Amino acid sequence: MSSHSLQHKITINSLREMKAQGEKIACLTAYDVSFAQLLDQSGVDVVLVGDSLGMVIQGLDSTIPVTMDEMIYHGRVVSRGLKRALLILDMPFMSDATTQMAVENAGRFMKEAGANMVKLEGGADQRELVETLTRMGIPVCAHLGLQPQRVHKLGGYKVQGRDASTADKMLNDARVLEQAGADLLLLECVPAELAQRVTEQASIPVIGIGAGHQTDGQILVLYDILGISAGHIPKFSKNYMLQSDSIQQAVECYVEEVRQARFPDSQHSFK
Ligand code: KIV
């Protein structure tokens, strides 16, 4: 049976199996129970309650003000809509400022919001934290490349890893975080060739957003694929409503294009 059969509850083992079999992993964000249910029934493997909710739900201009309580509220309602998909919650800005805070907050995500995994921005500097969460039995998705919570330090929303030294650093970050126990890597706004190198090097699955089609899976912000996000739609995103008659069809079309590695094409990737 295919690892992504619709009856099969997705776990970290299924994601590893999908990578091993070369089956692409389809992921989307969600923020409420109705969309969560629709995504779950449309074959989406992983649902992320992203702190992108600051922008697409709250109308903020960055993810920085999003709080733990807001993440837990949305995480809890999304978890009620999922039977099959694995649920990841984003650790909001400063919720992981110390290891102790991160352990307490990640624990709240698991206990109060039904998370199956937590996502953290940051590179090799998060090694100790990932080791601690792993020891506590909390699965971790490490987020490399463009890290929106560090937008002010990065000087804007820019493609990351374009030169040899930043590319080498990203390869090293990926290696260190995997060794520390990360179960999943997410690469945001990374040149396709570098994302391919990270994916080939990693034995854990690598999910891309603006990282080309060679990663083990893809994620996009739900409201971007439905063409309803307020504000700027990134180059790497695609409005699936333009080729669909319903929201369900748009989501199914995205899942299908991800499975067949037809999304993203070169138009939605960075060189
Ligand atoms: O917050 C979010 O939705 C994310 C995705 C863009 C990957 O981190």
Side-chain angles (χ1 to χ4, degrees):
M1 184 171 58
S2 156
S3 310
H4 64 258
S5 116
L6 282 176
Q7 287 79 43
H8 190 251
K9 171 73 193 167
I10 300 288
T11 64
I12 57 171
N13 294 344
S14 347
L15 299 179
R16 277 181 181 256
E17 178 70 9
M18 289 174 81
K19 177 176 175 106
Q21 302 290 328
E23 291 174 39
K24 298 283 185 184
I25 302 166
C27 320
L28 277 173
T29 66
Y31 315 95
D32 69 54
V33 66
S34 304
F35 274 124
Q37 220 161 36
L38 185 142
L39 267 45
D40 200 60
Q41 289 164 2
S42 305
V44 172
D45 304 303
V46 174
V47 171
L48 168 71
V49 179
D51 59 0
S52 52
L53 70 83
M55 284 139 129
V56 299
I57 301 286
Q58 300 173 330
L60 300 168
D61 62 4
S62 82
T63 60
I64 290 172
V66 174
T67 66
M68 274 299 297
D69 286 344
E70 289 163 350
M71 290 302 302
I72 287 176
Y73 171 81
H74 287 277
R76 193 184 284 141
V77 298
V78 165
S79 74
R80 292 186 193 132
L82 302 183
K83 288 198 166 75
R84 173 182 172 275
L86 183 126
L87 175 62
I88 306 182
L89 261 63
D90 244 346
M91 298 287 288
F93 182 59
M94 295 304 280
S95 64
D96 56 354
T98 65
T99 302
Q100 190 184 338
M101 282 171 75
V103 169
E104 279 170 17
N105 287 325
R108 286 189 68 197
F109 276 179
M110 308 290 284
K111 290 169 78 154
E112 296 174 39
N116 304 127
M117 183 180 287
V118 302
K119 177 161 83 60
L120 306 172
E121 296 184 11
D125 50 317
Q126 297 282 43
R127 181 181 56 83
E128 196 193 316
L129 176 49
V130 174
E131 280 171 355
T132 306
L133 293 173
T134 301
R135 212 171 40 247
M136 298 286 143
I138 299 180
V140 175
C141 172
H143 183 151
L144 296 174
L146 173 61
Q147 293 160 27
Q149 291 171 13
R150 296 172 192 217
V151 61
H152 298 304
K153 195 74 183 161
L154 295 172
Y157 295 99
K158 295 179 185 155
V159 179
Q160 303 293 308
R162 280 212 193 265
D163 57 65
S165 77
T166 53
D168 284 347
K169 180 177 178 315
M170 204 180 296
L171 284 157
N172 184 56
D173 286 343
R175 208 173 291 122
V176 168
L177 292 165
E178 176 175 347
Q179 278 165 5
D183 299 281
L184 204 61
L185 283 177
L186 187 142
L187 298 181
E188 178 164 354
C189 284
V190 173
E193 299 78 3
L194 174 58
Q196 180 176 2
R197 286 172 69 198
V198 174
T199 306
E200 285 168 359
Q201 163 193 286
S203 54
I204 54 176
V206 177
I207 308 298
I209 172 163
H213 71 277
Q214 304 278 10
T215 53
D216 301 307
Q218 301 294 328
I219 187 162
L220 285 176
V221 169
L222 175 65
Y223 294 179
D224 288 348
I225 76 159
L226 301 181
I228 56 169
S229 290
H232 170 74
I233 306 286
K235 163 193 158 84
F236 54 73
S237 201
K238 176 171 169 185
N239 180 352
Y240 280 87
M241 285 306 284
L242 297 177
Q243 61 196 74
S244 311
D245 295 327
S246 67
I247 291 175
Q248 175 143 6
Q249 203 180 73
V251 172
E252 284 171 358
C253 191
Y254 164 75
V255 171
E256 194 55 26
E257 288 196 3
V258 170
R259 296 261 191 257
Q260 295 174 359
R262 285 194 285 121
F263 177 83
D265 55 16
S266 56
Q267 217 191 316
H268 298 95
S269 306
F270 300 104
K271 288 207 165 144

